[in-house]
Amino acid sequence: MLRITLIRSLTVVPVLFGISVISFLVIRMIPGDVISSIMGQDFGDPAVEAEMRRYFGLDMPVHEQFFTWFGDLLRGDLGTSMRTGQPVLDEILQRLPSTLLLAISALLVAVLLSIPLGILSATRRNGPLDAVARVVSLIGLSVPNFWLGILLVYVFSVSLGWLPSQGASEGGGLLDNVRYLVLPAVTLGASLAAINMRMTRSSMLEVLNQDYVRTARAKGLAERVIMVRHALRNSLIPVVTVLGIELGALLGGTVIVEQVFAWPGLGTMVIRGISQRDYPVVQGTLLFLAFFYVLVNYLVDLVYTYLDPRLRSGH
């Protein structure tokens, strides 16, 4: 187990290095830079522009800019925003709670919808409920997040006036916070619920066909006991694995939903950084999100290895 843990830990390093290189280069492939974003394309004083490029280090060759940034990164410094002058890490930590709240809420929505529906669909295979659940999951997989978000805003905010359409609660109570959170969480959790429902259904069907389930029925155990103690516990292992991976992906996947609902999270910060060519903000945020995603995948991989002895033995 220790050997496997060390091997998986070493694989994280090249992944993060590759992500740092890609994030550094891709943002610089976009036409323009922070100087032209601040001053406009028609600014007429080349001397001031050259001085600002020197101040931000943009006059250096790209490889020198990368090694300077990467050296600071190894010391835990993600850089300073060219727009606000604030450390990028501080800005990330300010917005991280909002993104985590949205991601965890969306995951909770997905769990509450998908697991019961997946179990019912598997236990009533080929029945009317199974057919309806599969159609609903197919719709959930097919509908884009941004379109679903706009539709929910139109129905529940514009037409009915039940929920706020944008923003987050500032200093309100629990109920007020929940009202702002409902629409973005449902929008983000819908596609996850569809994926997990199908995963739960297929996993449950596989377990129900195992010999130990048939043996339990032959011994006369109640169907409820068979489902809870035998089928459900074993069928949820792959589902829990997928949920853990989705939590890591959700942090980066909230970008579009945050834009639709003007949610003050990391996604909004990345979009703002791209539009303003704020290189340190974009590079630092993308690397942070990638690190979190890789970390969650790494932890899920270790947990799954611990739960399944066959992976530890190499079979």
Side-chain angles (χ1 to χ4, degrees), residues 70-103:
F70 192 74
D72 293 337
L73 180 64
L74 293 178
R75 294 191 294 270
D77 182 7
L78 294 180
T80 302
S81 170
M82 294 178 176
R83 280 284 187 164
T84 65
Q86 299 295 319
V88 173
L89 183 58
D90 290 349
E91 293 196 3
I92 290 174
L93 295 179
Q94 287 174 5
R95 290 177 176 262
L96 180 61
S98 295
T99 297
L100 278 176
L101 177 62
L102 178 56

Side-chain angles (χ1 to χ4, degrees), residues 146-166:
F146 70 89
W147 187 87
L148 178 60
I150 294 172
L151 179 63
L152 292 177
V153 167
Y154 177 76
V155 173
F156 293 100
S157 298
V158 178
S159 299
L160 300 177
W162 291 354
L163 297 168
S165 61
Q166 289 186 329

Side-chain angles (χ1 to χ4, degrees), residues 107-126:
L107 198 67
L108 182 62
V109 168
V111 169
L112 293 178
L113 291 176
S114 63
I115 293 181
L117 281 177
I119 293 172
L120 291 174
S121 180
T123 54
R124 291 163 174 77
R125 184 181 183 184
N126 297 327

Side-chain angles (χ1 to χ4, degrees), residues 294-306:
V294 170
L295 177 63
V296 171
N297 274 268
Y298 171 72
L299 294 177
V300 168
D301 208 10
L302 290 181
V303 170
Y304 200 67
T305 303
Y306 175 77

Side-chain angles (χ1 to χ4, degrees), residues 8 49 67 116 140 218 227 229 244 270:
R8 297 193 191 283
E49 184 176 345
F67 286 120
M227 289 297 163
R229 292 187 181 179
V270 169

